[in-house]
């Protein structure tokens, strides 16, 4: 789930209407908001709302706004045995959305990607797969394999560094725009021919906002069924790893003082991320330095990890005035209680719904 700061801010604003002192809030609105909060907190107390699995530490881009080029991690791939164990644990929790979603990598680089998809489709009916990718490696898959992925995924999120070659290279650090553009068209056309059962989300990262909005390529992709989730110009500093001088002009690295926050973080209350070695991160956004590790899926079940005191201490660290240093400047932070009060979450079904889609 590599959501940009811009996207999270938009999600937060949409879900939390501003209410001034002079405004009168109808009693039924306040009651429904309280009911939504109670339901979401009940879910979050018993299980993670979504699970993201990073099956490899390998990435084929060098994004200027990402910590990947600066963080040294062993080059590794999750074993199929561990992945199956994670799926069993998640199925036992009731299933729901499981993302092949990187913290700092790309799932299409994983040599066992199709094996994992086949495993889930064939053995875990309660799990709904989705994927977050830069799409660079899609070209290595055959047409039948791409169709199989589309049939098997609830949605696919594509991150792209603008809609022209020079800007793409400036943002993503590699000259891959032409092949990615071809893969976007290929994926979209296949999806349309299959009835568009897989939702295709486009996340644009660029300093050329107006040009992107007016690009004929954007129109072409929208016609193919892509949904442009947002055009991001602001990004987190990943705990001080990414600096302003690392990114192109027009891109902002955001560093915010969170020391006064007392409401638990939305991400910590909603997600866990699992690294290829089984380390479980209480923050799915980033755990490249082990800063938010709450357990290990090789040793314990996901249910036991989520219920552990270590996990609870992390989830409620803002509330308990014990915020980790890593979180004190995080631009991704959103107060969970304000977002959970959104009435669109009243009918949220953790077994099949995407949290962010319900909010937006």
């Amino acid at each position: 789930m590599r959501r940009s700061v811009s996207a999270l801010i938009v999600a937060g604003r949409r879900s939390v209407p501003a209410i001034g002192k002079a405004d009168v809030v109808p009693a039924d609105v306040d009651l429904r908001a309280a009911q939504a909060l109670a339901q979401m907190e009940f879910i979050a107390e018993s299980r993670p709302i979504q699970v993201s699995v990073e099956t490899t530490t390998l990435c084929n881009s060098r994004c200027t706004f990402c910590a990947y080029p600066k963080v040294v991690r062993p080059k590794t791939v999750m074993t199929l045995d561990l992945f199956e164990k994670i799926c069993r644990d998640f199925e036992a929790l009731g299933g729901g959305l499981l993302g092949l979603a990187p913290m700092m990598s790309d799932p299409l680089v994983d040599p066992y990607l199709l094996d994992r998809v086949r495993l889930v489709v064939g053995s875990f009916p309660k799990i709904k797969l989705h994927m977050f990718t830069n799409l660079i490696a899609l070209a290595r898959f055959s047409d039948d394999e791409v169709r199989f992925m589309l049939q098997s995924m609830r949605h696919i999120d594509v991150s792209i560094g603008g809609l022209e070659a020079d800007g793409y290279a400036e943002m993503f650090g590699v000259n891959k725009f032409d092949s990615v553009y071809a893969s976007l068209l290929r994926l979209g056309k296949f999806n349309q021919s299959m009835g568009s059962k897989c939702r295709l989300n486009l996340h644009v990262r660029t300093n050329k906002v107006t040009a992107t909005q007016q690009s004929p390529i954007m129109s072409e992709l929208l016609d193919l069924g892509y949904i442009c989730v947002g055009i991001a110009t602001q990004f987190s500093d990943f705990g001080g790893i990414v600096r302003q001088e690392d990114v192109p002009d027009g891109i902002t690295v955001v560093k915010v003082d969170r020391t006064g926050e007392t409401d638990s973080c939305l991400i910590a209350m909603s997600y866990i991320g699992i690294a290829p070695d089984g380390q479980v991160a209480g923050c799915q956004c980033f755990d490249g330095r082990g800063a938010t590790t709450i357990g290990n899926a090789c040793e314990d079940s996901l249910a036991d990890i989520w219920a552990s005191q270590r996990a609870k201490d992390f989830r409620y660290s803002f509330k308990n005035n014990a915020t980790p240093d890593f979180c004190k400047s995080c631009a991704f932070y959103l107060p969970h209680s304000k977002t959970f009060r959104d009435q669109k979450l009243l009918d949220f079904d953790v077994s099949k719904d995407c949290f962010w889609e319900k909010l937006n």
Side-chain angles (χ1 to χ4, degrees):
M1 185 202 72
R2 268 191 212 164
R3 293 175 68 81
S4 69
V5 174
S6 303
L8 285 171
I9 289 172
V10 169
R13 283 178 179 167
R14 285 183 179 172
S15 62
V16 190
I19 299 175
K21 291 182 179 180
D23 294 318
V24 177
V25 181
D28 63 327
V29 172
D30 194 56
L31 175 61
R32 288 168 63 82
Q35 290 172 334
L37 174 62
Q39 169 177 282
M40 297 305 294
E41 287 190 332
F42 176 79
I43 295 172
E45 183 64 28
S46 60
R47 54 161 290 170
I49 292 173
Q50 291 184 205
V51 170
S52 293
V53 183
E54 185 178 48
T55 61
T56 178
T57 57
L58 304 172
C59 190
N60 47 11
S61 64
R62 298 295 181 271
C63 300
T64 57
F65 53 86
C66 181
Y68 179 82
K70 296 188 173 187
V71 174
V72 177
R73 295 196 295 170
K75 304 305 180 185
T76 186
V77 176
M78 180 180 285
T79 66
L80 287 172
D81 285 345
L82 176 55
F83 182 76
E84 183 174 4
K85 188 265 185 189
I86 290 168
C87 291
R88 284 199 307 271
D89 287 353
F90 192 46
E91 184 99 345
L93 284 170
L97 270 66
L98 186 147
L100 303 174
M103 290 182 235
M104 297 183 296
S105 60
D106 193 88
L108 290 178
V109 178
D110 178 2
Y112 304 119
L113 173 63
L114 292 175
D115 295 317
R116 302 185 202 280
V117 176
R118 292 187 189 101
L119 175 66
V120 172
V121 171
S123 302
F124 299 102
K126 295 180 182 178
I127 292 178
K128 307 294 186 293
L129 278 177
H130 63 99
M131 179 169 61
F132 204 114
T133 174
N134 59 32
L135 217 62
I136 291 173
L138 189 74
R140 76 181 182 90
F141 294 93
S142 71
D143 289 353
D144 286 343
E145 289 170 338
V146 172
R147 291 189 183 97
F148 174 65
M149 282 189 273
L150 287 166
Q151 290 171 344
S152 307
M153 299 281 174
R154 183 191 181 280
H155 59 272
I156 296 175
D157 291 272
V158 179
S159 175
I160 186 169
L163 298 181
E164 45 82 31
D166 290 343
Y168 180 96
E170 189 177 33
M171 290 296 294
F172 272 39
V174 292
N175 293 305
K176 294 292 184 180
F177 176 76
D178 289 342
S179 63
V180 170
Y181 175 39
S183 289
L184 282 166
L185 297 180
R186 182 183 179 214
L187 192 69
K189 289 175 181 177
F190 280 167
N191 197 43
Q192 274 194 340
S193 71
M194 297 164 57
S196 301
K197 293 184 177 180
C198 180
R199 175 178 167 127
L200 301 180
N201 297 321
L202 192 66
H203 303 255
V204 186
R205 291 78 160 85
T206 182
N207 53 2
K208 301 174 176 62
V209 176
T210 301
T212 299
Q213 292 170 331
Q214 298 175 352
S215 170
I217 293 177
M218 177 64 79
S219 298
E220 184 178 26
L221 295 175
L222 295 178
D223 287 343
L224 283 173
Y226 283 89
I227 297 168
C228 183
V229 175
I231 301 174
T233 61
Q234 296 180 318
F235 300 89
S236 172
D237 71 344
F238 288 92
I241 297 174
V242 180
R243 299 167 299 179
Q244 186 61 48
E245 55 265 34
D246 296 327
V247 298
D249 291 342
I251 298 297
T252 303
V253 175
V254 179
K255 188 169 185 176
V256 186
D257 183 4
R258 301 297 186 189
T259 54
E261 301 290 352
T262 58
D263 196 356
S264 297
C265 176
L266 174 65
I267 303 300
M269 292 289 287
S270 307
Y271 288 84
I272 55 172
I274 307 174
D277 62 357
Q279 292 293 320
V280 179
C283 173
Q284 194 277 330
C285 295
F286 177 66
D287 194 41
R289 297 182 300 183
T292 67
T293 303
I294 59 173
N296 193 308
C298 296
E299 302 167 1
D300 298 299
S301 70
L302 297 187
D304 287 344
I305 291 171
W306 188 256
S308 69
Q309 191 60 50
R310 186 178 183 184
K312 290 179 180 178
D313 286 346
F314 179 75
R315 285 203 298 278
Y316 299 109
S317 59
F318 280 95
K319 179 180 179 180
N320 295 332
N321 196 29
T323 310
D325 289 341
F326 180 83
C327 302
K328 290 178 180 177
S329 64
C330 182
F332 289 127
Y333 169 87
L334 281 174
H336 92 282
S337 63
K338 290 183 179 179
T339 307
F340 278 1
R341 288 173 65 88
D342 193 304
Q343 294 177 54
K344 292 189 287 293
L345 296 174
L346 272 171
D347 62 349
F348 179 79
D349 185 342
V350 71
S351 71
K352 65 182 180 66
D353 287 338
C354 175
F355 182 74
W356 299 107
E357 287 177 18
K358 294 289 287 187
L359 290 176
N360 293 327

